[in-house]
Every structure is written in C-alpha cells, then in structure tokens.
C-alpha cells in the first residue's frame, strides 16, 4: 500500500522536470506558476527541451528527474526499441486530445479541386488525399511528404490511422518524416513538407499565418484519445516513491485547476510566455478556450474538448491505453506481434501510484485499470459513477484491451514485423 | 553541400585525448606506426552552427577521417544519410534535428548507425552522460566503440574550445553593453537628482544590493523609468 507523505518525508525536494513547448505541457506550467509544486514541498525547475530525443535521453541518464512525454515513450524505452532500453513508468496522463492534421494551402487546393465534398468532410478528408495521391502517381510525380513529431508519437499513429482508413498505405504512398513541433510551420511554409500531424498551438499557428488548412482534429479521429504522460525511469520511481506521489499530486491538482473553464484563458496566457510555449496568446488561447479555426477565413468553431486536462478521468493512466499504443506499434512494424502487451502495460502504467496521489486530494478514481474504447459517442458514467468522455473512433471500430491481436488483425493496411518465430 | 574530400594521410589527431601525445610532435603529418590506420571512418557532422561544424570537419579531416557531409540539422537527414552512407553521425545533444534521426536509429527498419552526441554545455557530467546514452543507443554492429572513441574525444574537445570562445565573446559583449547602460543610468541620476558621478554610481550599487540584482539590470530600470516619466502617456491608450 503506497501512502502519500508530508514534505518532511520526501526523498528529495529538488526536481528537474523537462517539457516540450506544446499547449499540453499546461499542467507543468500551471503547477509551477500557481504554486502547486510548492504546496507539496517540491522545488521544481522546469527545462524547455529542444527535442523528444533529448527529453528521453536526459530522463534516462538522470539529468532530468521527470518529463512531459509522448505516451509511447515510456513503453518504447521499457521494450528497448528506442536504443536507450531503460525501463520507464508513468503514473499519470497529462491530458487527452490536442492534435490536428494540417496541410499546405497548395495541397488543400488540389484536394478541393479533385474531391470538393470529401476535402471538407473532416474524417473523410483522407479520401480526397487519396485521389490526389492517385493523380500524382499517374502523372509520375514524386510522393507527398507528411511530418509527425516522433516515431512512437500518438501523432504518427493518428496520421497513419487516418490515411489507412481511406486505403492510403502510409509506408508506400507517401513519405513520412519527423520534424520537431516548433519547426512544423516553417517547413510547411518552405514547401519541404505538404502536411503534418502535430499538437497545438502548431496547427492554429499555420492557420493564423495563412500557411495551411486544418483537415481534421485528433478529437474527431478518436474522441478523447490519450496523448501525453508524466514519465520517469522505473529506477527513479523506486528510489523516490514519496517524491513521485507528491509530484503526481501537484500535477493532478494543477490539471483540475486548468479544467475550470474560467481559468483557461489565464493558463493560455501563461503558456504563451517565451520561456514556455513561446507563441502568441491569441493562438494558444484558441484551443485552450475550446474553440478552433480550420482556416484563416473561417469562423472559430466550438470544440470544447479540444484539450482535456482533468475531466473524463483524463489524468488516470489507463493500462488499456498502453495496450492500444502497442497494437499500433505492432501494426507498423515497430514491435513484434508476440509482445506481451498486458505484462508491459502493467509494468509501465501505474494506476496504483496515481490512486495514492489522487486519494490525498479526494479525486475520484475509476475502480478498474482498463476500459474498452469506441462504444460511446456521449459522455457516460462508469460503475463508480465517475464521468468519462465519449470514446468513438472515426471508423466506428471497437477496441477491446483483452483481445489486442484480434484488434490488430482487424486492420487491412498494416506492416507487421516479419519474424521467423511461429506464434 | 557535399564536397568530395581528398584522401588524407592518417596523422596524429589534433586532440588526442586518450593517446599519449608525442612531446616532439611537429605540425608535419606523422604516421604513428603503433596505431592501425582508421580505415577512413566516414563521418557526417550535423550542426546548425555552421562555423562550429566547419572547424570540426576540418579537425576531423586533418586527423585522417573522411568527413562525407556537413549538414544543417534542418536538412532531411534520412535522405542525406542514404546519399553519403556515413559510419558515424556526430550531432549536438541539443540539436532539435535529433528527433529526425530517430527514423534512422534502432526504432526503424533502416540500418542503425552510431549517432554520437556531445553537449556544448561546459559540464563534464552532462557530456559524459550524453555520450554514454548516445553511443550505446545507436552503436551499430561491427563498429567497435574503440574505433569511434577518438572521434568522440576530438568532437568534445572541439566543442568545449568552441564554447569557451563563444562564452568569452558573449561576456565581452555584455560587459561592453552593461558599461554603456550603467553610464547612461549614471547620467540620468546625475541630471535628475543633481548627484556627482561617484554618488550616482553608489546609488546604483546600493539599489542593486538591496534588490539582489545585477547593477546593469538596475541601471536599465532607472533608464526605463526616466523614459516613462519624460513621455507621460495618455491613460486612454
């Protein structure tokens, strides 16, 4: 049984925590600016890092104690597929949704020319892209280039999911590259990439500067999909159990504060500062205040759940989310299909630590550690009465975490690792 | 830009961090017989700091390595790697382009290559950690660490020297800028409060001590305040 502690019992009070300049580092920034870390007896230094690799390496060698991470990172590090092979864990999710797919004006115009109805129909927009790709192939043009932020990022899996849903094979029909989030707009403007999937504010930034059009938000691809987590090494967590709980407690409290609608604008302005995200306040405020512009000349539409930090159990580390990420890693040949999904999910995702932290705040927790996805297009209450959000996929597929291989096999387009071992 | 490099003789590295330096070593290239030729390891230097990359490439070339490319981190690296087929990739641990390299590291279906990182931060521990992580992360089969080590040593030494120069330059520039600001602030105090120059300077010093801030920062405040007071703005703005 893990107990939370008073400041006197912390193994260490000084923590170095890394983040990437994205709207969804909000919990870290708010905890720092509003004194939630201090309240737990922690003295935190936040470090803005230039790349996800740098976040991973610095956490791995102990230069950072904890960091804002892509949900796939602790899993990849534990599985040893990222070259670091350092077991990592997460005891908390830092939010749901937050991404979108943006294309250049030139590509958008071509999609509109070739398939006007599909180009403007969010989840069907991939069908218009497919028509453009087919036309390019007939004309002998070179393939389009799309960027995501990291091989094991939710963005990579979302972009691939969306393309494959329209019969586009992301490994054959387009060129996929990796670009750090703050560089996306520049690359799009320079014509080096034709589109990308990235977190806010780097989609609204392209819209704001008339560099591109947003085709679809991550929320529309999968309602309330997991996105970022708080990552630490398993070794650090073992040596600092109380400090870890204090850190998670501070961040849950910050997430709860951020999710109060009347606080959103204030957080957006905090995030806009150059030492954090470094983007105009009006651009960061867009998604943060639950509105979104798909084009520069379009009105801002309400997308209340574009960023979810606390409600719908957003901070809870669902083991089923870990399993879903692994099905996508297997789908695209990053890990073998024989990976022990459940065992890894148990090792990496630690709801036990989360519950100890949430308990001290009186925050309600789900009774189970896993849940199926894809059954709800409205908010619903789980057995404990906890309100959870919609969880629909764009293609109405259902994900049952107890049967990951059946789910994997339900996808026509996939590139699994060819292994010699018989399963 | 890819330049074909002339084949160089293997000679004593400029920064033989781990080899024993011959006290009689001259600038003329000499081939130490005890050291096997390095079989011209092909190196790609990825650095957005063009000047730093250029001198590093020169140092490596002079030491008998083949620098097949110097590319800005903003280039699409996988393509460049396929073109030049380097044995080793050198990159600053803090280069944003590192994420792009992930595609050619172990996680992807392309050939992993040793990606050697160094930190330009002047902090041994950071550097050691970065290197330990970097080299072990992407050490390719068939290329022993001992082969890569001299490259790493050279790169680190070079980075540190470069950083020192940069720091000295930055320091010299701030001192100069600070001096100008402090002079202006003294002028403001002298004319506004009718102080002598030593009195004005002591006032600034005292303000800085009381507020635990740098004297130049306090001076900046004094000037800004004076500007504000000399241009009263309408409150309706």
């Amino acid at each position: 049984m893990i107990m939370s502690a008073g400041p006197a019992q912390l193994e260490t009070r000084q923590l170095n925590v890394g983040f990437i300049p994205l709207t969804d580092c909000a919990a870290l920034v708010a905890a720092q600016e509003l004194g939630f870390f201090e309240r737990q007896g922690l003295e935190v230094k936040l470090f803005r890092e230039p790349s996800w690799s740098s976040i991973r390496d610095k956490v791995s060698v102990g230069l950072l104690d904890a960091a804002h991470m892509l949900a796939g990172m602790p899993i990849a590090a534990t599985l040893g597929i990222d070259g670091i092979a350092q077991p990592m864990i997460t005891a908390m999710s830092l939010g749901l949704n937050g991404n979108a797919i943006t294309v250049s004006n030139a590509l958008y115009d071509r999609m509109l020319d070739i398939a006007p109805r599909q180009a403007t129909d969010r989840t069907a927009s991939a069908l218009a892209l497919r028509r453009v790709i087919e036309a390019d192939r007939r004309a002998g043009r070179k393939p389009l280039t799309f960027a995501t932020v990291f091989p094991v990022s939710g963005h990579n899996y979302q972009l691939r999911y969306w393309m494959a849903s329209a019969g586009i094979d992301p490994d054959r029909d387009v060129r996929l590259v990796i670009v750090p989030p703050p560089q996306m707009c520049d690359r799009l403007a320079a014509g080096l990439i034709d589109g990308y999937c990235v977190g806010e504010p780097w989609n609204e930034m392209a819209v704001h500067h008339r560099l591109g059009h947003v085709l679809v938000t991550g929320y529309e691809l999968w309602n309330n999909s997991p996105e970022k987590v708080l990552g630490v090494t398993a070794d650090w967590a073992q040596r600092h159990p109380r400090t870890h709980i204090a850190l998670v407690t501070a961040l849950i409290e910050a997430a709860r504060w951020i999710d109060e609608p009347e606080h959103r604008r204030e957080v957006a302005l905090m995030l806009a500062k150059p030492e954090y995200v470094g983007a105009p306040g009006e651009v960061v405020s867009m998604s943060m205040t639950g509105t979104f512009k798909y084009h520069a000349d379009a009105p801002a539409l309400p997308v209340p759940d574009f960023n979810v930090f606390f409600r719908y159990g957003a901070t809870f580390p669902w083991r089923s989310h870990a399993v879903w990420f692994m099905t996508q890693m297997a789908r695209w040949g990053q890990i073998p299909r024989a990976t022990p999904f459940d065992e890894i999910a148990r090792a990496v995702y630690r709801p036990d630590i989360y519950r100890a932290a949430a308990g001290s705040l009186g925050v309600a927790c789900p009774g189970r550690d896993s849940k199926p996805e894809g059954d709800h297009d409205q908010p619903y209450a789980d057995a404990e009465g906890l309100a959870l959000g919609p969880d629909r996929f764009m293609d109405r597929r259902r994900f049952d975490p107890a049967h990951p291989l059946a789910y994997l096999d339900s996808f026509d387009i996939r590139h699994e690792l060819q292994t010699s071992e018989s399963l | 830009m890819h330049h074909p490099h002339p084949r160089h003789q293997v000679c004593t590295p400029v920064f033989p961090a781990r080899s024993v330096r011959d006290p009689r070593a001259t600038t003329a290239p000499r081939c130490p017989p005890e050291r096997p030729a390095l079989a011209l390891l092909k190196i790609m230097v990825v650095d957005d700091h063009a000047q730093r990359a250029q001198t590093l490439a020169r140092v490596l070339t002079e030491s008998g390595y083949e620098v097949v490319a110097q590319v800005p981190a903003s280039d699409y690296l996988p393509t460049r790697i396929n073109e030049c087929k380097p044995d080793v990739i050198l990159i600053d641990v803090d280069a944003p382009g590192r994420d792009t390299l992930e595609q050619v590291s172990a996680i992807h279906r392309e050939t992993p290559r040793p990606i050697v990182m160094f930190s330009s931060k002047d902090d041994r521990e950071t550097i050691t950690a970065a290197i330990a992580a970097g080299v072990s992360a992407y050490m390719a089969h068939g290329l022993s660490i001992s082969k890569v080590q001299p490259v790493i040593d050279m790169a680190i030494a070079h980075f540190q020297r470069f950083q020192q120069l940069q720091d000295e330059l930055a320091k010299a520039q701030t001192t100069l800028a600070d001096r100008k600001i402090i002079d202006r602030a003294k002028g403001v105090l002298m004319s506004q409060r009718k102080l002598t120059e030593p009195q004005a300077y002591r006032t600034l010093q005292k303000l800085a001590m009381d507020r635990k801030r740098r004297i130049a920062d306090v001076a900046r405040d004094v000037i800004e305040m004076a500007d504000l007071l000399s241009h009263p703005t309408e409150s309706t703005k």
Side-chain angles (χ1 to χ4, degrees), chain B residues 13 19 40 47 56 66 70 80 82 90 102 109 117 164 209 212 223 226 234:
Chain B
S19 55
L40 285 187
D47 195 352
L56 176 60
E66 189 183 355
Q70 285 172 52
R80 301 304 311 269
N82 279 337
L90 288 177
E102 288 291 308
R109 284 163 295 207
M117 295 180 283
Q164 262 164 358
M209 295 270 280
K212 294 192 178 54
I223 294 165
E234 297 119 62

Side-chain angles (χ1 to χ4, degrees), chain A residues 283-316:
Chain A
V283 174
V284 181
S285 294
M286 254 310 163
S287 76
M288 277 299 276
T289 54
T291 52
F292 198 72
K293 273 176 98 156
Y294 289 79
H295 317 288
D297 300 318
L301 299 173
V303 185
D305 291 339
F306 195 101
N307 288 105
V308 173
F309 293 99
F310 179 75
R311 61 181 176 274
Y312 304 155
T315 46
F316 188 77

Side-chain angles (χ1 to χ4, degrees), chain B residues 166-203:
Chain B
Q166 295 281 314
D167 291 348
E168 281 161 22
L169 195 67
K171 217 163 149 176
Q173 280 170 340
T174 28
T175 352
L176 195 66
D178 284 355
R179 254 214 314 275
K180 282 186 185 156
I181 297 256
I182 293 167
D183 281 342
R184 270 185 60 199
K186 278 193 305 200
V188 167
L189 291 173
M190 284 157 68
S191 70
Q192 284 187 347
R193 304 208 195 159
K194 306 284 177 281
L195 299 177
T196 62
E197 191 178 357
Q199 284 172 325
Y201 189 70
R202 271 199 300 278
T203 308

Side-chain angles (χ1 to χ4, degrees), chain A residues 287-406:
Chain A
S287 76
M288 277 299 276
T289 54
T291 52
F292 198 72
K293 273 176 98 156
Y294 289 79
H295 317 288
D297 300 318
L301 299 173
V303 185
D305 291 339
F306 195 101
N307 288 105
V308 173
F309 293 99
F310 179 75
R311 61 181 176 274
Y312 304 155
T315 46
F316 188 77
W318 292 98
R319 285 183 164 143
S320 42
H321 283 165
V323 175
W324 186 85
F325 279 109
M326 284 184 271
T327 63
Q328 301 307 296
M329 290 175 180
R331 180 181 181 184
W332 304 116
Q334 293 173 331
I335 60 174
R337 97 184 247 125
T339 303
F341 295 159
D342 199 53
E343 189 187 318
I344 298 293
R346 277 171 195 285
V348 179
Y349 275 53
R350 297 290 302 275
D352 53 325
I353 298 172
Y354 175 92
R355 287 194 176 96
S360 69
L361 294 170
V363 166
C365 297
R368 40 186 189 151
D369 296 340
S370 277
K371 63 182 170 90
E373 300 284 338
D375 288 336
H376 310 88
D377 50 15
Q378 292 297 320
Y380 69 104
D382 78 347
E384 289 75 29
L386 182 73
L388 296 173
D391 54 19
R392 265 278 191 245
F393 290 96
M394 58 171 284
D395 55 1
R396 294 279 186 259
R397 216 174 278 266
R398 182 173 194 278
F399 168 65
D400 177 355
H403 301 288
L405 292 180

Side-chain angles (χ1 to χ4, degrees), chain A residues 49-54 56-58 61 63 76 81-84 149-152 160 171 175-180 183 187 332-334 415 417, chain B residues 48 73-76 79 93-103 105-109 117 121 123 125-126 129-130 132-134 136-138:
Chain A
E49 293 294 327
S51 68
W52 288 116
S53 317
S54 166
R56 179 200 57 208
D57 297 346
K58 288 177 182 174
V61 300
L63 294 172
I81 58 164
D82 61 352
I84 290 284
V149 307
F150 206 63
V152 295
R160 288 165 170 270
D171 285 312
R175 209 173 59 129
L176 288 181
V177 302
I178 302 288
V179 171
Q183 294 181 5
R187 296 288 162 89
W332 304 116
Q334 293 173 331
H415 293 288
L417 279 178
Chain B
D48 274 332
S74 51
D75 273 23
Y76 179 55
T79 307
V93 72
D94 283 321
R98 283 198 47 216
D99 281 352
T100 307
L101 276 184
E102 288 291 308
Q103 271 187 312
S105 70
I107 210 159
H108 226 65
R109 284 163 295 207
M117 295 180 283
K121 303 223 167 42
D123 159 6
E125 227 176 313
T126 309
S136 62
Y138 310 115

